[in-house]
Each structure stands twice: as structure tokens, then as C-alpha cells.
Amino acid sequence: MDILDDLLSGVRARGAVFCRSVAEPPWAVRFDAPAPLALGTMLSGEAWLVPDGGRPLPVRQGDIVLTRGGTPFTAGDHPDTPPQIVVLDSERCYATADGPAAPRRDYRLGPRTYGFTADGSDLFVTAEYPMRGDVCERLLSALPELAVVPWQREFAPLLDLLAAEVAREEPGQQIILDRLLDMLLVRALRAWFARPDAAPPAGYRALGDPRIGLALRLLHERPAGPWTVASLAAETGMSRAVFARRFTELVGSPPLAYLTEWRMTLAADLLRERGASVASVARRVGYADGFAFSNAFKRVRGVAPSTVLRARDVDSPAP
């Protein structure tokens, strides 16, 4: 396990919602309520993406688009083309000429496919990830609201498979699409975070250092372990002082501060699980008693873990 593995552990596609838009210029499709994380790509043709309140960005064939935060956006052949179709979700859309309250025309051309014509030259595919929790938030906060990742050779096999599979309706189809989406998402995130102007999650770039990368992997594999600066230094074959200095330089925080922050992120999600208690979560993130854990959680997160438990019970009352 490493940082990206952990951040994506709650982001696996399961029944991901796909939308395949077929059009001939001039065209524009508005996505009115996207999920917290959405991935899009032009399988053929070119387009512009215009997020509400943001600047238009060109999308060329094979580029991967990542949108986060649930901000509505419009995809079209030109930034000024008004939307002709508004997509609400995988089952609901309407033409802007009619409005949402008017009798609906059926713009579904096939499985997961919308448009005015099945023979359009431009083919834009989007897929949405429902995301919840503090671990996922660490990933989302490292992304801009709209990121366009230029085509790379390693995208090509996955995009070819996606083009072949997304319009089919066969047994096991959703599993194939979900796994393709997972692989495309990881490839796109790696490409985005490799940019010099990107701001990847804390510690991400340090994974490239053989010794500090090893320490980070150990912390993510065994976050509840009885780690000390000395034990981590020994695992990496470095002196305590050199390890602590190098870790802080590359990661941006001292080793045990990083570990505490990561433990509290995990704990915030664990506390929201049905049946969880302060004591049980404390043990799962490496604390011998609930009192020490509660103090650490409140210091890092600003609220007591009992507050998270109460909010969970209000949002999800027991049956």
C-alpha cells in the first residue's frame, strides 16, 4: 500500500454512472449535478468544457478530464454554444428548449448514450464516482475543480477498450466498465500529480525517494503500529537525525506529525461506521485507550470524536 492506494481505497467504482454523449456540431450538453468526482474523455472529436463560474478549457481526443466538488459544467463544441440537453443523472435528461417541467422527449440512443443523432462525429464519455469520507477528501482537495490531463500513450489501450464496451449491454458489463474507470482514474491522477505545477497530497512525491518512500509505505500499511522516529529510521537504514530531517524536507511535516494526521483522517471515517465506538476506533488507529485518542483527535480535527459519533447517529438513526 502507498499514499495513492490508500486515498483511492474508498474510490473504487461500483456501479459507476456512465454517460455517453453523441453529437454533431454545434452541440452542448450540461451536466447539472455531477458527483463529487467525475472523469470524462473525448473518444472522438474535440470539445470545450465550461465549469460554472470558471474559464473554458479545450479537450482534445484522448484527453482525460477530472472534475471535483460537484460543480455543474457544460461540454460542447464551442464555449459559446448554449446547452441543448441537460443531464441530471444516468436515467434523466431534458432538452433546454422544453425545460424540465415540459413533456420529455427520449434522447437516449442506446445503453448509457444520449444525443440527437447516433451518427454524430463527436463522442464525449463521462463517468461519476460517489465519494464520501475524510480519506477521499484528501484526494479531492489536491485536485483543481477542473483538470484536463493531455493524452498519453499509456491511455490508448484503456480508451480503446472503453469505446468498445461503453455502448454494449451484455452480462458483466458494469464490472468491466468499473474496472476500466478505475485504471483510467489512476493513470490520470499519476499523470496530473507528475506536473510541476500540481499540488499532490502530502508525501506523494516523497514516494520516489527509496528510503523515505519505504517509510511512508510502512506507515500506510500499518498505521496502528507502535512507530517511533527511531524505529522508522532503523527500517530505512538511516540515522534517527538524518531520517527525521530528510522526511520533513520531502513530506512537509515530521514523521510522527504525519502519522498522527493520517491516523486521525482514518479515524474520522471509522467513527462514521455503524457500531463504532471511541474505544474501538482508538485501538484500530494505534491508541491503547480512548482518552489519549480523544485528546489527539480533538487537537488535530478540532472536535471530539464523540461529536462525530453523535452526528453519525443523527444522520443514520438505527433501524
Side-chain angles (χ1 to χ4, degrees):
M1 295 284 286
D2 63 31
I3 294 167
L4 192 55
D5 290 329
D6 270 337
L7 296 181
L8 289 170
S9 63
V11 194
R12 305 295 186 209
R14 294 180 181 87
V17 176
F18 278 78
C19 176
R20 179 174 177 262
S21 304
V22 183
E24 190 74 34
W27 64 272
V29 178
R30 176 176 170 81
F31 296 87
D32 208 33
L37 178 64
L39 181 149
T41 185
M42 288 299 298
L43 292 179
S44 64
E46 297 183 353
W48 288 83
L49 254 65
V50 186
D52 283 13
R55 64 184 182 87
L57 291 175
V59 183
R60 296 175 176 81
Q61 184 169 325
D63 292 352
I64 304 295
V65 179
L66 300 174
T67 67
R68 61 99 177 159
T71 301
F73 66 92
T74 299
D77 69 302
H78 189 275
D80 297 330
T81 301
Q84 299 129 324
I85 294 178
V86 176
V87 176
L88 300 176
D89 55 38
S90 63
E91 300 297 331
R92 296 182 300 156
C93 69
Y94 63 87
T96 54
D98 300 332
R104 305 292 175 85
R105 286 178 54 191
D106 187 3
Y107 294 99
R108 296 188 65 177
L109 302 175
R112 309 172 190 87
T113 304
Y114 299 87
F116 292 104
T117 172
D119 301 320
S121 60
D122 295 341
L123 181 56
F124 181 66
V125 172
T126 61
E128 298 184 343
Y129 276 102
M131 297 178 66
R132 300 178 185 87
D134 288 59
V135 172
C136 292
E137 185 58 36
R138 284 171 70 109
L139 174 64
L140 292 178
S141 63
L143 293 169
E145 287 195 351
L146 179 62
V148 177
V149 185
W151 178 88
Q152 296 189 5
R153 189 176 300 276
E154 65 178 16
F155 296 166
L158 295 174
L159 292 173
D160 289 344
L161 280 172
L162 181 63
E165 296 290 341
V166 73
R168 294 181 181 177
E169 197 63 76
E170 297 181 6
Q173 199 68 46
Q174 191 66 52
I175 295 294
I176 293 174
L177 291 172
D178 285 348
R179 298 294 74 78
L180 282 173
L181 181 57
D182 285 340
M183 289 187 284
L184 269 176
L185 178 62
V186 173
R187 293 286 179 94
L189 288 171
R190 288 196 309 206
W192 181 261
F193 290 146
R195 295 163 54 110
D197 60 337
Y204 180 85
R205 288 190 172 134
L207 290 172
D209 183 279
R211 296 186 176 185
I212 303 305
L214 171 60
L216 284 166
R217 288 181 176 90
L218 289 171
L219 294 179
H220 280 259
E221 287 171 4
R222 304 198 302 273
W227 296 112
T228 64
V229 175
S231 65
L232 287 168
E235 291 280 357
T236 61
M238 304 171 73
S239 73
R240 184 182 184 280
V242 171
F243 167 75
R245 182 170 63 251
R246 182 71 174 159
F247 189 102
T248 304
E249 289 173 353
L250 293 180
V251 178
S253 61
L256 297 189
Y258 178 89
L259 174 60
T260 299
E261 174 66 34
W262 178 239
R263 284 173 167 174
M264 296 307 110
T265 300
L266 294 173
D269 285 350
L270 293 172
L271 287 165
R272 297 186 182 101
E273 293 181 357
R274 185 176 297 278
S277 66
V278 171
S280 66
V281 171
R283 291 191 295 271
R284 291 175 69 179
V285 296
Y287 286 81
D289 64 81
F291 182 74
F293 164 68
S294 294
N295 284 339
F297 191 89
K298 188 170 184 178
R299 184 179 69 252
V300 173
R301 310 291 295 189
V303 296
S306 57
T307 302
V308 180
L309 289 177
R310 286 194 296 271
R312 176 203 67 189
D313 294 339
V314 169
D315 293 338
S316 302

